[in-house]
Amino acid sequence: MHDDLSPLCTRFLTAADLLGRRWTGVILRILMDGPCRFGELTERIGTISERVLSERLKGLEAEGILERHVDPGPPIRSEYRLTEKGQAFWKVIDELGKWAERWVDVKAPAQAQKGAKATRAVAPRKRKSA
Amino acid sequence: MHDDLSPLCTRFLTAADLLGRRWTGVILRILMDGPCRFGELTERIGTISERVLSERLKGLEAEGILERHVDPGPPIRSEYRLTEKGQAFWKVIDELGKWAERWVDVKAPAQAQKGAKATRAVAPRKRKSA
DNA sequence: GCACTCACTTACTTTTTGGAAGTAGCTTGC
DNA sequence: GCAAGCTACTTCCAAAAAGTAAGTGAGTGC
């Protein structure tokens, strides 16, 4: 039985699940540079939909990782900033960034996974494909 | 204009996208402990579907993060193990684990995000809800 | 009053995931 | 020698999540 994973795992799974939601890492990464407004986040990320950004921000706020701060202008603006819990995440993001710098080839568009369904380049299964 | 994000960002986005696929972090975490077979991975993760595990493994293999190694038994077994690129990921996983240990409350089931849709505890929007 | 911005939300479509059952190769029991 | 089991996947279908686009409400500018 391999439940040696269990004790730390509940926490780890939670964290992995957090980062396992699309865009979470990117949002956190941007917020590491300082507070950011909704529109600014949309703009900087570029390809995220506002629907999902809104959802992610609410989720992260609920997790206590960031907080929404409303500046009643008059030009009313809301700002998202990391809490202490969120700030503590910088090491993870930092290591991820370092890994990416060293190992990610810019030419490979990360779409490899999608193609993978059809393209098994290495060690084809012994089973006959017909 | 905030395209100061662009240069590093392509790589970072790729990495974030990788980790942003559900279960990737957990799979990598388990593989950090050593090579693992398909069934063993299923068992250790517990809640992943075999369909998705298979998909993730192929994707990670295509990305060069892990490799499939077939032992022609006779009881034929395949084993997944990290490549150098995959091993290099341990720092990310490690920091994620540390963060989780320090900041994740075991009692909070990470489902906070789901509930968040309905529950805005902090700073309700000024717009009337009717 | 009309156009425009910001920060979201809503409605609808497409993609991903989950769950369960099926398949293929090989061994073991009878 | 064949049903039964094991391992490693794949296939099918329903449910959940993400993408797309248009709408909403408050406020400003003219």
Side-chain angles (χ1 to χ4, degrees), chain A residues 1-16, chain B residues 23-48 53 93 97 100-101 106:
Chain A
M1 277 194 190
H2 300 282
D3 54 9
D4 58 302
L5 212 49
S6 307
L8 180 144
C9 214
T10 308
R11 293 168 197 267
F12 185 84
L13 279 176
T14 304
Chain B
W23 302 116
T24 305
V26 184
I27 293 169
L28 256 26
R29 157 73 213 266
I30 291 174
L31 254 20
M32 292 286 157
D33 293 343
C36 209
R37 290 180 298 112
F38 188 88
E40 215 180 330
L41 278 166
T42 309
E43 201 186 314
R44 293 191 69 182
I45 301 176
T47 47
I48 193 175
L53 177 58
I93 299 297
E101 256 185 281
V106 186

Side-chain angles (χ1 to χ4, degrees), chain B residues 111-123:
Chain B
Q111 296 319 92
Q113 293 211 41
K114 312 214 165 173
K117 202 168 285 178
T119 344
R120 282 221 123 251
V122 190

